[in-house]
Amino acid sequence: NAGVTQTPKFRILKIGQSMTLQCTQDMNHNYMYWYRQDPGMGLKLIYYSVGAGITDKGEVPNGYNVSRSTTEDFPLRLELAAPSQTSVYFCASGYLAGGADTQYFGPGTRLTVL
Amino acid sequence: AQSVAQPEDQVNVAEGNPLTVKCTYSVSGNPYLFWYVQYPNRGLQFLLKYITGDNLVKGSYGFEAEFNKSQTSFHLKKPSALVSDSALYFCAVRDPFSSSGGYQKVTFGTGTKLQVIP
C-alpha cells in the first residue's frame, strides 16, 4: 500500500492565483482530513470528510474548498491565494477503532504565496 | 472546549537515558489521547493512543505513555533514548462528547522537539 499520497510536494503561488492540492489514500478509510501546519502552531483542521459525498468545515476553512467524490480522493482547492495561506498542508485518512480514529498522514505540501 | 498543552518546546536527552515528553489536556468528559511523531519533511506518524483501560499504553518503537486522570496528563516515555528518536512529537486529544456532524474533533498540541545527544 502507498498509504496517503499528496501532490505536489512544493508550490509557489502568486497572490490571487488558484490551485488544487491532491490527496489520495489506498487504505479504504472513510475519514479524510486536511490540516495546515504553521511553525509553532501545531495542526489546524481545514476540512474533513466522513465518507464519499460528505464534507464539513474544520477550524480554519476560509479561503479553501474541498470535494469528496470517491473514497480515495480528497482534493483541497485554494481560491485567490493570499500570503496568509503560506503553510505546510497535510492530508490524512483514518478509520474508527474502539470509538476513536487513528489518522494516517501524507508527506505534506509546502506552499508559499508571494 | 477541549485543549492540549505541551509545556516544553524542546527536550534534550543523552542517548541511553530515559526520556519524557510532557502533555496535559482539558476536556469535559473522558478523553481519547494520542501521540504522533514527525520526522523532518515528513507527515505525522501514529505512535500510540489511550481510549480506556490500562493507564500505561505501549506503542511503536519502544514508546509508552501513562494516562493520569487526576493530573490530566498523558506523558510520553521511553526507557532508553536513541539518536534516531530525535523528532517532533505531538500530543492530541479528542473529547468523545464533543461531536459536530458526526465528527469528534481532534485537537493537536504545538509539538515538542526531542533532541537525543550521542
Side-chain angles (χ1 to χ4, degrees):
Chain A
N1 287 350
V4 180
T5 57
Q6 292 182 238
T7 57
K9 286 187 169 57
F10 305 94
R11 185 71 184 269
I12 298 175
L13 285 180
K14 295 182 179 178
I15 294 172
Q17 288 185 319
S18 300
M19 76 166 294
T20 298
L21 281 66
Q22 301 292 345
C23 175
T24 300
Q25 55 98 2
D26 62 0
M27 296 173 283
N28 201 34
H29 289 162
N30 285 333
Y31 290 68
M32 294 191 75
Y33 317 85
W34 274 105
Y35 292 93
R36 58 178 288 172
Q37 184 181 34
D38 300 319
M41 298 295 290
L43 278 80
K44 297 293 185 183
L45 182 66
I46 304 171
Y47 271 94
Y48 68 94
S49 170
V50 299
I54 307 170
T55 63
D56 207 346
K57 297 177 181 178
E59 302 171 79
V60 290
N62 291 343
Y64 307 94
N65 274 302
V66 294
S67 60
R68 184 100 181 266
S69 57
T70 66
T71 298
E72 295 78 18
D73 300 308
F74 191 42
L76 177 72
R77 178 81 178 164
L78 276 73
E79 304 282 2
L80 299 174
S84 61
Q85 293 179 304
T86 294
S87 189
V88 181
Y89 291 83
F90 289 102
C91 178
S93 70
Y95 66 95
L96 277 180
D101 71 314
T102 298
Q103 298 185 24
Y104 296 80
F105 286 79
T109 294
R110 189 174 295 273
L111 175 68
T112 302
V113 182
L114 301 175
Chain B
Q2 64 191 41
S3 64
V4 61
Q6 294 182 243
E8 301 154 317
D9 289 334
Q10 181 159 335
V11 170
N12 297 322
V13 63
E15 186 176 24
N17 283 2
L19 69 88
T20 299
V21 182
K22 295 180 181 178
C23 172
T24 59
Y25 66 89
S26 175
V27 297
S28 56
N30 293 319
Y32 296 158
L33 294 155
F34 307 81
W35 275 103
Y36 287 83
V37 59
Q38 185 180 30
Y39 298 101
N41 301 314
R42 302 284 296 276
L44 278 69
Q45 295 178 32
F46 170 77
L47 275 179
L48 52 80
K49 67 182 175 185
Y50 170 84
I51 298 174
T52 187
D54 194 346
N55 289 343
L56 186 64
V57 180
K58 294 189 183 299
S60 306
Y61 312 122
F63 284 93
E64 57 189 26
E66 186 169 11
F67 171 64
N68 187 318
K69 188 172 183 178
S70 63
Q71 297 186 1
T72 61
S73 67
F74 190 57
H75 300 332
L76 182 70
K77 300 180 180 183
K78 188 173 182 181
S80 178
L82 301 172
V83 172
S84 57
D85 293 330
S86 299
L88 191 57
Y89 290 82
F90 289 92
C91 182
V93 66
R94 160 173 286 153
D95 181 351
F97 292 94
S98 172
S99 177
S100 174
Y103 172 67
Q104 297 167 350
K105 175 188 169 184
V106 175
T107 299
F108 285 84
T110 53
T112 297
K113 183 178 180 181
L114 174 67
Q115 190 77 33
V116 181
I117 303 163

